[in-house]
Amino acid sequence: MPADPLHRAGNPQRSTTSQPPSGSGASAIEVRRSARRRRTVSAYREGDRTVVLIPARMSEAEEQRWVTVMLDKLAAQENKRVLGDTELSERAARLSELYFDGRARPTSVRWVTNQNTRWGSCTPAEGSIRLSHRLQGMPEYVVDYVLVHELAHLLVPGHGADFWRLLEAYPRTERARGYLEGVVAADWLPHLPAARGE
């Protein structure tokens, strides 16, 4: 049987591209295998694509595991950086284009510190969206969900069936809602005193 041309010593690298897990934030994942790379795995964003660099000898199962690990690591690094109001507004515009064909056009999108009982709010008559500062540092898909939720209110003010149909466009709605429900539930749990050392 002839040798696989992708694994010959003279061909140090091969690349495969796949679609990312739903809601990961990247449009595609490119895995680049290198014969020169022995043990290290690294990843970086290149536009809307995530590039993961792995050793050529890795199995498909190891590749999948490392892609997941590196996507989580990149997301954690990106979440440490707090978006400013300008970036938040730009993000809202991108989400509106992606999920509502650009029909939801807020006049302002900003962080506020006076919303402690809700994650976001929208005033459709003014076109303003406000997000609670408590969302800062939460996963990107959660912040995006709240933005999409408030953008949908610019198109449908109430929480009726038409509103929830609009939100079906965002693929991580249920996961984000579960995350936020967990945060709220954790706030209500009794805080036990730390165990005393004997």
Side-chain angles (χ1 to χ4, degrees):
M1 183 176 222
D4 179 354
L6 293 176
H7 291 99
R8 280 190 202 135
N11 189 353
Q13 183 169 302
R14 72 177 167 133
S15 177
T16 57
T17 302
S18 63
Q19 291 306 310
S22 176
S24 70
S27 66
I29 299 165
E30 182 177 340
V31 177
R32 295 181 186 164
R33 289 176 173 263
S34 171
R36 281 184 259 165
R37 189 175 281 270
R38 296 286 176 218
R39 292 188 309 215
T40 61
V41 176
S42 61
Y44 61 91
R45 302 276 194 217
E46 191 173 80
D48 63 354
R49 173 183 307 269
T50 301
V51 177
V52 181
L53 308 170
I54 65 171
R57 62 178 174 70
M58 264 191 193
S59 69
E60 292 296 319
E62 288 175 309
E63 175 182 316
Q64 288 305 311
R65 184 178 72 80
W66 276 106
V67 165
T68 301
V69 166
M70 297 312 287
L71 286 175
D72 289 347
K73 194 176 269 194
L74 282 174
Q77 290 169 353
E78 290 164 355
N79 285 335
K80 285 181 183 172
R81 191 174 71 82
V82 175
L83 298 175
D85 288 349
T86 301
E87 293 164 311
L88 197 61
S89 188
E90 290 168 356
R91 186 176 204 91
R94 283 193 304 274
L95 291 168
S96 176
E97 282 296 327
L98 191 58
Y99 298 111
F100 304 127
D101 297 320
R103 293 180 296 129
R105 295 187 182 130
T107 55
S108 69
V109 182
R110 61 191 174 92
W111 296 107
V112 294
T113 57
N114 62 351
Q115 287 189 151
N116 293 313
T117 58
R118 47 188 178 169
W119 300 111
S121 62
C122 173
T123 308
E126 297 173 5
S128 61
I129 291 175
R130 294 159 305 280
L131 263 56
S132 172
H133 72 286
R134 295 179 307 139
L135 289 164
Q136 293 174 339
M138 288 191 187
E140 188 176 278
Y141 74 92
V142 175
V143 176
D144 284 354
Y145 163 72
V146 177
L147 276 171
V148 169
H149 183 107
E150 301 309 332
L151 286 165
H153 278 310
L154 293 176
L155 304 173
V156 179
H159 284 104
D162 290 343
F163 173 82
W164 293 109
R165 265 193 295 279
L166 276 178
L167 278 190
E168 288 174 5
Y170 184 64
R172 298 185 89 177
T173 291
E174 289 306 315
R175 184 171 180 191
R177 289 184 65 174
Y179 184 99
L180 292 171
E181 287 170 6
V183 169
V184 170
D187 287 343
W188 287 96
L189 290 174
H191 296 285
L192 300 175
R196 292 184 190 152
E198 265 123 45

